Amino acid sequence: MEYLEFELPIKELEDQLQKCKVIGEESEVDVTETCTNIEKKLAATQKEIYKNLTPWQRVQMSRHPDRPYVLDYIRAICGESFLELHGDRSFKDDKAMIGGLGKIGGQSFMFIGQQKGYNTKTRQYRNFGMANPEGYRKALRLMKSAEKFGIPVVTLIDTPGAFPGLEAEERGQGEAIARNILEMTRLSVPIITIIVGEGASGGALGIGVGDVVLMLENTWYSVISPESCSSILWRSWEFKEQAADALKLTATDMKKQKLVDEIIKEPLGGAHRDREKTFAAVSNAITKNFEELKNLSPKDLVAKRMEKYSQMGVFKG
């Protein structure tokens, strides 16, 4: 288990608890009371730290190296039923954007999401979860296939942004994202969008238009990352914490501003602390929301989606 800087007091107590148990096992000394005291202190420390996370700390949590990625969610939720589909039928298969068919119970879904790597080799292979235009075109192809066969779409967002390279711009990065946003607003099947990690800029929006948009508790969703915001405004990354605070990018902020519909609670300490519980919570959220959407006619579905996005950013004086 890796620890973030603000989690070090927890690591210290967990190490103490481990040593205490080892002493108990290797000697005749009864350490039960000492272990119980450490456990109580550990529980209180965890509660105190995770209850008062700052926006920047939540950004760090969303990037935690042990945090589950999109494929982990899909494989846990769908099991053996997941069939990955490849290619945009135009240029190539983008490894940063994954998609395919999977079942929850007896219901089929088209899953689409950005996949990051978990070590140096796979991060390069997945381009750090930053999709090129062909990734967004692949996503759109899969959504259109889902629409053709009446299959609901689930998008899982976890990206530091769309790939900003020259070649991506030459192949029409902006157009690909804009096309996805347009087509998703009028897709005639239910779309459930869940932010499971980082939700940055147009990279997230390219698969982020949904009938319901959900956020896991320790994730963020914003037009720009705190570091980039800090470097633009202050010409330095030093003010990233201040930027994170000002951007109002946490799940609570987004819910308050009615930009997302629901927050999915994570286990104490983050999604990586109890993966099975997190996977179950995401699976239940998909099922619950699909049950509410499945009886709407395509016409009503699109009308409600249009209405939902038309209301965003409207302020009454």
Side-chain angles (χ1 to χ4, degrees):
M1 179 73 72
E2 290 195 43
Y3 294 84
L4 300 168
E5 198 179 326
F6 64 88
E7 294 178 306
L8 292 178
I10 294 167
K11 181 184 188 303
E12 210 172 285
L13 286 165
E14 284 181 346
D15 288 346
Q16 281 179 27
L17 184 62
Q18 189 60 35
K19 282 174 190 168
C20 187
K21 285 177 178 174
V22 168
I23 290 165
E25 286 164 12
E26 292 178 353
S27 67
E28 302 293 312
V29 183
D30 183 13
V31 293
T32 314
E33 194 182 337
T34 313
C35 284
T36 306
N37 288 338
I38 296 170
E39 278 169 358
K40 280 180 186 171
K41 197 175 176 187
L42 176 60
T45 307
Q46 283 178 323
K47 205 170 177 184
E48 186 60 32
I49 286 174
Y50 295 122
K51 190 178 72 180
N52 300 305
L53 289 178
T54 66
W56 172 244
Q57 285 169 340
R58 291 208 188 272
V59 170
Q60 288 177 290
M61 290 283 280
S62 76
R63 298 168 176 167
H64 199 290
D66 295 326
R67 195 174 174 87
Y69 294 134
V70 168
L71 264 177
D72 298 321
Y73 284 97
I74 294 173
R75 283 173 181 152
I77 292 167
C78 303
E80 293 296 308
S81 73
F82 180 61
L83 172 71
E84 191 176 348
L85 301 168
H86 299 273
D88 70 339
R89 300 291 183 271
S90 179
F91 185 69
K92 69 171 188 177
D93 183 40
D94 189 341
K95 307 299 182 191
M97 185 75 77
I98 55 154
L101 292 162
K103 285 188 175 182
I104 302 178
Q107 175 63 48
S108 293
F109 291 91
M110 180 67 82
F111 288 90
I112 296 164
Q114 293 108 344
Q115 174 68 12
K116 291 176 175 175
Y118 47 86
N119 60 27
T120 307
K121 197 174 180 181
T122 55
R123 280 178 197 132
Q124 287 177 324
Y125 179 71
R126 297 287 181 187
N127 200 30
F128 299 86
M130 297 187 291
N132 277 280
E134 50 273 19
Y136 292 99
R137 289 175 184 135
K138 170 164 80 169
L140 181 57
R141 181 178 77 79
L142 299 185
M143 285 184 240
K144 285 292 188 183
S145 295
E147 182 181 48
K148 184 180 176 181
F149 297 107
I151 297 167
V153 173
V154 175
T155 64
L156 302 166
I157 295 172
D158 185 13
T159 180
F163 184 59
L166 179 65
E167 62 274 32
E169 298 298 339
E170 287 172 344
R171 291 198 299 276
Q173 184 74 286
E175 188 277 337
I177 291 170
R179 172 74 53 194
N180 278 23
I181 294 169
L182 170 67
E183 296 293 349
M184 287 181 88
T185 57
R186 57 192 188 191
L187 208 71
S188 63
V189 290
I191 308 171
I192 297 164
T193 295
I194 307 172
I195 294 138
V196 297
E198 300 184 88
S201 194
L205 272 182
I207 57 166
V209 178
D211 297 295
V212 283
V213 181
L214 318 174
M215 278 181 88
L216 281 169
E217 197 179 357
N218 295 309
T219 61
W220 62 276
Y221 197 19
S222 173
V223 71
I224 194 168
S225 72
E227 295 96 325
S228 301
C229 177
S230 174
S231 65
I232 290 168
L233 294 180
W234 290 283
R235 300 280 185 267
S236 160
W237 278 24
E238 280 178 38
F239 299 92
K240 54 187 183 286
E241 291 177 47
Q242 205 174 316
D245 201 35
L247 283 166
K248 304 291 179 206
L249 42 64
T250 66
T252 316
D253 292 321
M254 297 301 284
K255 176 87 164 56
K256 200 180 287 180
Q257 299 199 51
K258 296 187 171 62
L259 297 171
V260 302
D261 304 289
E262 198 181 308
I263 298 169
I264 302 171
K265 276 196 77 64
E266 291 185 24
L268 188 69
H272 56 285
R273 284 276 177 168
D274 190 341
R275 285 176 166 234
E276 298 313 312
K277 196 175 173 182
T278 308
F279 297 148
V282 170
S283 180
N284 292 339
I286 293 169
T287 308
K288 177 176 81 77
N289 282 288
F290 175 65
E291 287 300 315
E292 291 170 14
L293 294 167
K294 69 177 184 182
N295 297 322
L296 291 172
S297 69
K299 192 179 174 183
D300 288 345
L301 201 63
V302 172
K304 282 190 79 170
R305 196 183 301 145
M306 290 281 198
E307 176 66 17
K308 169 188 164 80
Y309 281 90
S310 300
Q311 291 302 315
M312 288 182 185
V314 174
F315 292 93
K316 292 184 174 73

